[in-house]
Amino acid sequence: MAITIPPQSQDHQPGVEGKMKPLAIHIRPDYKGSGKLNGKKALITGGDSGIGRAAALHFAREGADVAIVYLEEHEDAKETARLIEAEGRKVVLIPGDVSSSTFCNEAVEKTVSQLGGLDVLVNNAGVQYVSNDLTDITDEVWQRHMDVNINGYFYMTRAALKHLKAGASIISTSSINAFAGNKSLVAYTTTKAAEMGFTRALALQLAEKKIRVNAVAPGPIWTPLQPASWGPVDPQAVADMGKSTPMGRIGEPSEMGPAYVYLASEDSSYVTGQTLHVNGGMIING
Ligand code: NAD
Ligand code: MG
């Protein structure tokens, strides 16, 4: 699975799949679904591309209908919808900004009315702006990280809760940076660690209701976020991404999807408040 990535940059965040060289892989052609999510309804934020698209395609292959929230990347969202429908599942596309609680409430209501319920929420939409010096981070950039990465997870989860029943699952995409830190991503790391606290506390609160709450902490994964966040600062850093992991390579989104299936399905029925580390072998204290 080792791929060669040339130096590259995308000048706008969120980035888009079509400009990535090479294109990313979101599900292995030989991934076999076995009905682990038959009849489930899932809502995935940032499900148009990258890790969210991988979760969406794996969920669909396992029998779930999927609603996708995304900011503005209509082409990526349409392609994800096409791929979900090719699995024989229903899809709903919901563009909008998760930093608005009003939008999050509407997105959940739209999901429930169009899919007929909600069983799995994946909080995954995120922003990441690189800065090598804390004093270069403006109020606006700091606040945008908080608004999308923390508030977005809270607003979506709060809106979803009244629909989630015993057996439901909430999954948040955090990051290895929440555990290892990252000297060029102080604002981002702060939000990813907050998502861990959110996951652990909410897991305790919802255990009684039999709703499970877990996180996935990816290492470096080949998604549009990489060229759109690192690219403008250092295009070579995009090309080198993942080379320092024990496996010596970046991961594909297709290597993330099964972790979401595990946490969404009954296979993880005794797992809550935990984090899955899918990161090419980096050992962290968490
Ligand atoms: P991506 O660009 O494919 O996905 C991020 C998505 O977030 C976008 O598709 C975009 O539509 C959505 N988004 C951004 N701002 C939004 C907003 N205000 N409202 C609604 N949606 C918004 O990149 P990705 O790498 O797949 O990112 C998914 C998650 O994975 C993020 O939370 C990111 O922090 C996390 N993550 C990524 C990596 C990696 O190496 N790629 C590593 C660790 C964690
Ligand atoms: Mg996208």
Side-chain angles (χ1 to χ4, degrees), residues 45-48 68-74 77 93-97 103:
T45 68
D48 58 297
I68 300 286
V69 162
Y70 65 101
L71 187 61
E72 61 188 12
E73 311 97 294
H74 303 296
L93 296 182
I94 312 174
D97 190 332
F103 167 72

Side-chain angles (χ1 to χ4, degrees), residues 13-17 45-53 69-73 76 95-99 103 123-128 144 147-149 153 173-177 188 192 195 216-226 228 241 250 253 260:
Q13 201 176 141
V16 291
E17 294 282 352
T45 68
D48 58 297
S49 58
I51 295 166
R53 180 190 281 182
V69 162
Y70 65 101
L71 187 61
E72 61 188 12
E73 311 97 294
D76 281 351
D97 190 332
V98 295
S99 70
F103 167 72
N123 289 311
N124 170 79
V127 294
Q128 165 179 291
R144 190 66 182 156
D147 288 345
V148 178
N149 299 8
Y153 282 31
T173 306
S174 177
S175 167
I176 186 164
N177 293 319
Y188 175 80
K192 291 288 141 178
E195 293 164 8
V216 179
I221 306 299
W222 185 226
T223 72
L225 189 70
Q226 303 286 10
M241 200 62 60
I250 198 165
Y260 290 82

Side-chain angles (χ1 to χ4, degrees), residues 40 112 116-120 160-169 206 209-212:
K40 301 277 189 197
V112 170
L118 182 60
D119 307 287
V120 180
L161 260 184
K162 65 172 175 286
H163 300 287
L164 299 180
K165 301 189 176 62
S169 171
L206 298 181
K209 295 185 175 163
K210 300 187 171 57
I211 297 170
R212 299 179 301 101

Side-chain angles (χ1 to χ4, degrees), residues 178-284:
F179 299 85
N182 187 311
K183 67 180 181 182
S184 304
L185 297 173
V186 175
Y188 175 80
T189 299
T190 301
T191 63
K192 291 288 141 178
E195 293 164 8
M196 294 308 311
F198 181 72
T199 297
R200 288 174 174 156
L202 193 63
L204 298 177
Q205 186 177 112
L206 298 181
E208 207 169 78
K209 295 185 175 163
K210 300 187 171 57
I211 297 170
R212 299 179 301 101
V213 189
N214 292 289
V216 179
I221 306 299
W222 185 226
T223 72
L225 189 70
Q226 303 286 10
S229 61
W230 291 98
V233 179
D234 182 3
Q236 184 60 41
V238 179
D240 292 338
M241 200 62 60
K243 287 184 180 163
S244 64
T245 66
M247 289 190 182
R249 65 173 179 86
I250 198 165
E252 291 282 358
S254 61
E255 297 177 290
M256 298 301 308
Y260 290 82
V261 170
Y262 172 68
L263 292 176
S265 75
E266 278 303 289
D267 285 357
S268 60
S269 55
Y270 196 47
V271 178
T272 197
Q274 307 301 316
T275 305
L276 286 187
H277 297 279
V278 186
N279 66 21
M282 289 180 275
I283 294 169
I284 40 76

